[in-house]
Amino acid sequence: MGAASNESLDVLSVFLTGIPGLEAQHGWLSIPFFTMYIVAIVGNSLIMAAVHVDAALHEPMYLFLSMLAVTEVGVSVSTLPTVMGILWFDARQIDFDGCLAQMFFIHTFSCMESGVLLAMSYDRFVAIYNPLRYTAILTLSRIICMGLGITLKSVTFMAPLPILLRQLPYCHVNVLSHSYCLHSDLIQLPCADTKLNSILGLSIVLATFGLDSLLIVVSYVLILYTVLGIASGEGRRKALNTCVSHICAVLLYYVPMIGVSVMHRAAKHASPLVHTLTSSIYLFVPPVLNPIIYSVKTKPVRQGIFTLFSCKRKWL
């Protein structure tokens, strides 16, 4: 089979895959998928708006929560056009540069989400270890610098991936295994050695998601050590209760990610439907559930959303 030269990349197309074995039900499946997108985008947007409007939420914990909401809206918006395009219109074809752009944004926002979860674990540690100096340590300027640092790190790490992929020759048939473009899928397409791309991809995963998850575990070991030093049982319970929502967010993010990694390596011969479902859980479930968890478990967030709607009623 021939290879497409770099000059022909502008006209090279990639074909996405819907939900294997359920193509006939795509119309019905579009309903729960579109509902998830609406819940994710509206729920996270409400959290961002509530934090912006309600002065009571202008604290480090909620500013970090607003950053998390931004990353989850970013992930949802990045996958929405191709996923719904396939389910609604059977639009499987995407131009190569568009696919690279989608891959870059999905991975960049996912990396940012991991970084924000790490920043939130540090926030919880400071709040429990040194509550009297909490706002003095996590000032607005430091929080902004942390947010900019997370963004810069994510963009810097992910930018080489599409650049290197664009240098490779491609075969004439380019079919991906998902309804969105991922690096692990795209490196299977070139008609050339992709060892460098694979090594770079693994290095980025270890330097970002791997390091972030390790530091989150260290943060919670320190938090647990600090909590055990609190004299009263009520004080220990209150301290740990402030971490419940964040622990849920971490588990919602990293457990599906580990599941996807295990499936790609240990269950290569599993049904394509299983691979599609695990990847979908990783990308779709955290943005849907995190706003719900934080709204239910965190009273100030819930009150902030009520305040937001009351302000809208006054304007009307």
Side-chain angles (χ1 to χ4, degrees):
M1 182 178 293
S5 64
N6 286 340
E7 288 78 6
S8 65
L9 285 179
D10 292 335
V11 295
L12 181 67
S13 292
V14 174
F15 292 89
L16 302 170
T17 302
I19 302 175
L22 298 175
E23 289 83 0
Q25 284 75 44
H26 276 181
W28 289 107
L29 290 171
S30 68
I31 298 173
F33 272 90
F34 188 65
T35 301
M36 284 193 292
Y37 276 121
I38 293 296
V39 172
I41 294 171
V42 172
N44 284 291
S45 297
L46 282 175
I47 286 179
M48 287 187 283
V51 172
H52 176 72
V53 170
D54 193 345
L57 297 179
H58 293 173
E59 295 183 10
M61 174 183 176
Y62 306 114
L63 295 176
F64 285 124
L65 176 58
S66 182
M67 289 184 196
L68 183 66
V70 170
T71 65
E72 292 184 332
V73 169
V75 170
S76 298
V77 170
S78 297
T79 59
L80 186 149
T82 54
V83 172
M84 297 313 302
I86 289 174
L87 295 178
W88 278 341
F89 310 111
D90 198 33
R92 301 173 185 274
Q93 187 173 349
I94 180 173
D95 69 87
F96 187 69
D97 286 335
C99 191
L100 290 180
Q102 185 185 50
M103 179 204 74
F104 171 76
F105 284 114
I106 290 174
H107 290 312
T108 298
F109 280 116
S110 295
C111 185
M112 288 171 61
E113 186 172 357
S114 177
V116 172
L117 287 172
L118 172 59
M120 293 173 80
S121 69
Y122 174 69
D123 164 79
R124 290 299 83 211
F125 169 69
V126 173
I128 293 171
Y129 180 75
N130 201 345
L132 296 179
R133 298 196 63 237
Y134 173 54
T135 54
I137 294 172
L138 288 172
T139 60
L140 179 60
S141 60
R142 285 178 180 168
I143 293 170
I144 292 173
C145 287
M146 290 170 73
L148 291 175
I150 290 168
T151 304
L152 181 61
K153 179 196 77 171
S154 302
V155 171
T156 302
F157 272 116
M158 297 304 166
L161 297 181
I163 294 172
L164 288 177
L165 282 170
R166 210 175 190 285
Q167 308 308 310
L168 297 170
Y170 287 82
C171 301
H172 291 302
V173 178
N174 298 288
V175 180
L176 300 180
S177 59
H178 298 293
S179 51
Y180 36 81
C181 301
L182 300 177
H183 184 257
S184 58
D185 241 3
L186 283 167
I187 59 172
Q188 309 297 324
L189 300 183
C191 300
D193 184 16
T194 58
K195 187 178 294 183
L196 175 62
N197 302 73
S198 297
I199 293 172
L200 178 62
L202 179 60
S203 300
I204 290 172
V205 168
L206 293 175
T208 54
F209 304 106
L211 184 59
D212 288 349
S213 59
L214 177 62
L215 292 175
I216 288 172
V217 171
V218 171
S219 297
Y220 271 98
V221 169
L222 294 173
I223 287 171
L224 188 60
Y225 179 78
T226 304
V227 168
L228 291 176
I230 298 175
S232 69
E234 181 66 17
R236 288 195 293 269
R237 188 190 65 79
K238 285 184 177 180
L240 287 174
N241 194 51
T242 64
C243 301
V244 170
S245 296
H246 180 252
I247 291 171
C248 291
V250 170
L251 292 175
L252 279 173
Y253 181 79
Y254 281 104
V255 170
M257 176 187 285
I258 294 170
V260 170
S261 300
V262 170
M263 289 298 298
H264 272 289
R265 287 161 179 78
K268 290 183 179 180
H269 303 294
S271 165
L273 178 60
V274 175
H275 287 283
T276 300
L277 288 176
T278 54
S279 297
S280 297
I281 290 170
Y282 164 59
L283 286 175
F284 300 145
V285 172
V288 170
L289 291 186
N290 278 336
I292 297 172
I293 290 170
Y294 272 96
S295 299
V296 171
K297 291 293 297 179
T298 312
K299 187 177 179 181
V301 172
R302 198 162 59 247
Q303 291 176 333
I305 293 173
F306 290 150
T307 301
L308 185 65
F309 281 108
S310 65
C311 288
K312 285 187 177 180
R313 282 197 294 271
K314 288 179 182 178
W315 294 337
L316 293 173

